[in-house]
Amino acid sequence: YFLMSGICAEIIRHRKTAKQLMADFDAKTLTPDYFPTRWAYVYDYDRDVFEANAKDAVRRSKISVYKSAQSAPILILSPRSRGFSARETL
């Protein structure tokens, strides 16, 4: 959970791709506030495990955006009111 939570925070708040996440993981420059060290240190994870989780999180976020685009049109009051999205505002 704590690994996926941090990865999702990076994707949503900084709009990072899986490649950017892997580059940050290799350089050890991930945002420390998103990966709590109390339970597990993020760089203790194997690179392959981190990469698989990063790719899965990016894939799931794209599915989520796609599914939200199928919903009825909504009025968006600010550019960031829905988080990140590929939809155009009305």
Side-chain angles (χ1 to χ4, degrees), residues 2-3 5-7 9-11 13-14 30-36:
F2 301 103
L3 178 62
S5 174
I7 290 172
E10 290 278 5
I11 292 169
R13 296 178 186 164
H14 299 290
L30 292 167
T31 308
D33 294 339
Y34 302 155
F35 300 92

Side-chain angles (χ1 to χ4, degrees), residues 72-88:
I74 57 173
L75 180 63
I76 298 177
L77 301 177
S78 71
R80 299 287 295 184
S81 65
R82 290 191 64 244
F84 74 104
S85 178
R87 293 178 61 178
E88 293 184 18

Side-chain angles (χ1 to χ4, degrees), residues 9-22:
E10 290 278 5
I11 292 169
I12 293 168
R13 296 178 186 164
H14 299 290
R15 299 181 184 210
K16 291 188 178 179
T17 64
K19 285 184 179 183
Q20 290 171 329
L21 285 168
M22 290 312 300

